[in-house]
Amino acid sequence: LHPNPSEASSMGRVIRCQRRGRGSIFKSHTKHRKGAVSLRTLDYAERNGYIKGVIKEIIHDPGRGAPLAVVQFRSPYAYKVEKKLFACAEGMYTGQFVYCGKKAQLVVGNVLPVSEMPEGTVVCNLEHRAGNGGTIARASGDYCTIMTQDPDTGKTRVKLPSGARKTIANSCRAMVGIIAGGGRIDKPMLKAGTAFHKYKAKRNEWPIVRGVCMNPVEHPFGGGNHQHIGKPSTVRGDKAHGRKVGLIAARRTGRLRGGKATQALAEKAREKK
C-alpha cells in the first residue's frame, strides 16, 4: 500500500478507514443491480405539456429497500420506446399510466415541477437542481413536504426527510407521493444472519469492529488495560488520515441541555404541525 516499502516498515498500520477509501474489497456490490434510477431527461414535452408513460413491471433492486418501477414512454422525437427506472411511490401498480410534465395532474406517481404543486404536497424523487433526475427522498418510506412557494423569486421551500428545510428553484421536478417500502426498519433484524444477508447485497460494511477493542497499531482509540478512548474523540478536519477517526470536525457534541434542548423540542413540535 505504501509507495516506498522500506519506509513503510517504520510506520504504523494502514487503518481500516484508510483502506476503505482505496476501494478494492470495500467496493459496492453492483453486479445484480438493475440500473440507474432517475426521472426522465427534461425536454420540451415536459417543460411545456406532458408525456404519458405506462408502468410495465415493479421489480426488486438488490441492496435497495424501495421497489423500482419500469416505466415505458414513447419517444416524442424518434420512432422508439424509452424505458426508465423510477423509485416506486406507494400506491403505484403495473399497467398504471404516469404523466410527466408541467401540465400533468396532481396524482400519486405523476412527475411535475414543484411550482405546480400547492403548499403541503407530499413528494419524493425530488430534484435539487432542475433536470438532474431527482436525488432527494428516494429511500423506502421517505418523502419531502412543500412548505412555501415564492413565485416572485422562483423559489420553493421544502422540508427534507431529515427535518431540515431547503430552498430550491421552483422549476425542479418531483414525483407526487411517498416512496414505497416504508416501515422497513420497524421490524427488528433479530439475528446476525439477517444483518449478514442485508449487507452482503450492499457492500463490505458489516460487522463493525469498535476502535476501542483494537490494538494501538490498528486504531487511535485502541490499547489500554480497559476499553477506553483515552483522548478526546473529537478531531480536527485537517488531521492525517491515520488519526482522522471519531467525531470529525464536530461543531458541537453531547446532549442538548438547557435552552438549546427547549428550543429543539419546540422545533420538533412545530414540524409535527
Side-chain angles (χ1 to χ4, degrees), residues 71-272:
V71 186
Q72 192 170 289
F73 295 92
R74 280 187 175 171
S75 171
Y77 309 109
Y79 182 66
K80 64 177 180 181
V81 165
E82 295 173 347
K83 277 189 178 179
K84 295 298 291 182
L85 281 174
F86 286 4
C88 220
E90 203 166 286
M92 286 169 81
Y93 55 90
T94 51
Q96 180 186 347
F97 290 120
V98 292
Y99 297 87
C100 302
K102 190 179 180 184
K103 301 277 176 73
Q105 288 185 326
L106 197 71
V107 175
V108 169
N110 286 0
V111 177
L112 48 160
V114 292
S115 60
E116 305 301 310
M117 299 178 182
E119 292 172 8
T121 308
V122 169
V123 298
C124 56
N125 284 314
L126 174 69
E127 296 181 326
H128 68 274
R129 285 197 194 90
N132 74 354
T135 53
I136 301 172
R138 307 197 324 169
S140 54
D142 270 5
Y143 62 92
C144 295
T145 310
I146 310 289
M147 301 301 287
T148 52
Q149 297 276 18
D150 190 351
D152 301 331
T153 57
K155 299 287 181 188
T156 300
R157 198 154 175 77
V158 294
K159 188 167 88 170
L160 306 183
S162 63
R165 284 160 171 74
K166 184 176 176 69
T167 303
I168 57 171
N170 64 11
S171 54
C172 293
R173 297 169 298 164
M175 182 184 280
V176 182
I178 82 166
I179 298 287
R184 177 172 52 85
I185 56 172
D186 295 346
K187 183 184 176 185
M189 285 207 267
L190 294 178
K191 56 181 192 170
T194 312
F196 170 82
H197 289 293
K198 175 186 173 179
Y199 292 106
K200 182 168 174 276
K202 291 176 180 285
R203 64 199 68 82
N204 178 12
E205 61 178 10
W206 185 90
I208 297 165
V209 181
R210 294 166 302 132
V212 288
C213 68
M214 297 183 189
N215 295 315
V217 73
E218 287 147 356
H219 199 277
F221 296 167
N225 283 345
H226 297 280
Q227 285 190 10
H228 69 292
I229 295 176
K231 55 172 79 68
S233 58
T234 49
V235 65
R236 290 166 61 97
D238 59 1
K239 270 289 187 187
H241 295 304
R243 176 67 185 88
K244 200 170 175 182
V245 294
L247 303 168
I248 297 164
R251 290 195 179 94
R252 63 172 307 284
T253 61
R255 292 191 305 124
L256 289 166
R257 299 179 70 176
K260 281 191 175 173
T262 316
Q263 191 181 330
L265 285 169
E267 272 183 23
K268 269 192 177 177
R270 212 177 307 129
E271 279 172 15
K272 280 178 184 174

